[in-house]
Amino acid sequence: MTETFAATAELVPGVFVRPATPDDHAALKRVCVETADSGNDATAREDNPELVGLIYAVPYQVFEPDLAFVIEENSTVSGYVLGARDTADFEARLHADWYPDLREWLRDPGPDESAWQGSDWARHMIHHPPVMALEGLAPYPAHGHIDLLPALRGRGIGRAAMEHLITALRRKRAPAMHLDVAPDNDNAIGFYRKLGFEVIDHPSVAPGRLFMGKRLD
Ligand SMILES: CC(C)(COP(=O)(O)OP(=O)(O)OC[C@H]1O[C@@H](n2cnc3c(N)ncnc32)[C@H](O)[C@@H]1OP(=O)(O)O)[C@@H](O)C(=O)NCCC(=O)NCCS
């Protein structure tokens, strides 16, 4: 398949996508927490608003820099689209090279969820990461994340940004990808369906989790 790809591009007039750099880590964390409550701002819920981005956003820039993009308007990062070529490989990198350092400075809140407060859910996840490469997701080995702050939504930017990521994944010969979606995030589910993603129904997906997949070949 021949496809031209410019890592930096104008998605819609005045809105640009470009590769994320280490200088974008603060912006990645900010956008992540401001969209972390099923698309809404979770800042007030967290006692450490950085942790959610240290799980769901920053590691993509660190371990998959060719697949980590920020979205800017007026020179301000207001969104991102992130991917991993092989979820099992990415998960192994997180276990080996990412979570151990975070655990050095974060206490484990223990298994009793009823006692968790603030960002304890994230501290627990860092100490006990859930399995990412579930058996049912194996036919869709790549995965992605997209989050846009409200000013960017509903303008065709999400579609253009996902197409940008998909082109980058195709260049790396990813045959198919999946997305981990909060089951109550109706907007995201509607958006992904419009882009051709379908719910992945498999016994390895625990109740209360929702994954959507799409072939890229
Ligand atoms: C979900 C999100 C990425 C969508 O991006 P967006 O820029 O608002 O979407 P677009 O304007 O590009 O819409 C693309 C298409 O999806 C459709 N669409 C968007 N939201 C939809 C919905 N809730 N139901 C049905 N279709 C929808 C649009 O009509 C459009 O269709 P078209 O291209 O055929 O005209 C964005 O709203 C967002 O970041 N939300 C908050 C964070 C979030 O929930 N992220 C996903 C976490 S899993």
Side-chain angles (χ1 to χ4, degrees):
M1 183 185 314
T2 310
E3 219 167 358
T4 56
F5 179 67
T8 297
E10 190 169 26
L11 296 176
V12 302
V15 178
F16 298 87
V17 64
R18 63 163 173 80
T21 75
D23 288 344
D24 294 313
H25 287 187
L28 290 171
K29 287 185 275 191
R30 172 174 51 78
V31 172
C32 193
V33 73
E34 290 184 16
T35 56
D37 183 8
S38 294
N40 299 312
D41 191 349
T43 308
R45 181 186 79 186
E46 302 295 321
D47 64 75
N48 184 338
E50 301 215 334
L51 295 186
V52 62
L54 288 173
I55 296 172
Y56 291 112
V58 177
Y60 293 85
Q61 191 288 315
V62 175
F63 298 116
E64 293 276 13
D66 295 347
L67 297 171
F69 303 96
V70 290
I71 300 162
E72 286 184 316
E73 187 170 40
N74 300 320
S75 303
T76 301
V77 172
S78 301
Y80 55 69
V81 62
L82 310 167
R85 160 71 181 80
D86 184 298
T87 299
D89 282 356
F90 184 72
E91 181 172 27
R93 297 289 304 274
L94 293 181
H95 281 276
D97 300 326
W98 187 249
Y99 289 128
D101 286 352
L102 296 181
R103 289 181 193 129
E104 295 280 315
W105 57 275
L106 291 169
R107 65 181 167 78
D108 182 348
D112 180 5
E113 285 187 41
S114 67
W116 293 355
Q117 295 187 333
S119 305
D120 282 346
W121 70 271
R123 294 183 186 90
H124 186 266
M125 191 177 275
I126 286 165
H127 282 273
H128 309 279
V131 175
M132 295 176 77
L134 297 170
E135 186 191 341
L137 304 178
Y140 306 89
H143 76 270
H145 289 292
I146 182 167
D147 288 310
L148 308 176
L149 292 182
L152 293 188
R153 297 178 197 164
R155 298 164 56 189
I157 296 166
R159 177 189 277 280
M162 281 298 295
E163 286 170 356
H164 192 78
L165 175 65
I166 286 170
T167 303
L169 283 168
R170 284 192 175 126
R171 282 168 57 86
K172 290 184 174 286
R173 303 278 181 262
M177 70 180 291
H178 69 267
L179 304 154
D180 183 354
V181 192
D184 62 349
N185 192 343
D186 294 333
N187 276 331
I189 294 167
F191 165 75
Y192 292 137
R193 277 194 201 285
K194 197 77 194 269
L195 269 61
F197 287 83
E198 291 176 356
V199 172
I200 299 169
D201 185 15
H202 190 273
S204 63
V205 176
R209 303 291 303 276
L210 178 68
F211 294 90
M212 299 180 77
K214 176 180 161 96
R215 294 217 60 83
L216 305 182
D217 48 13

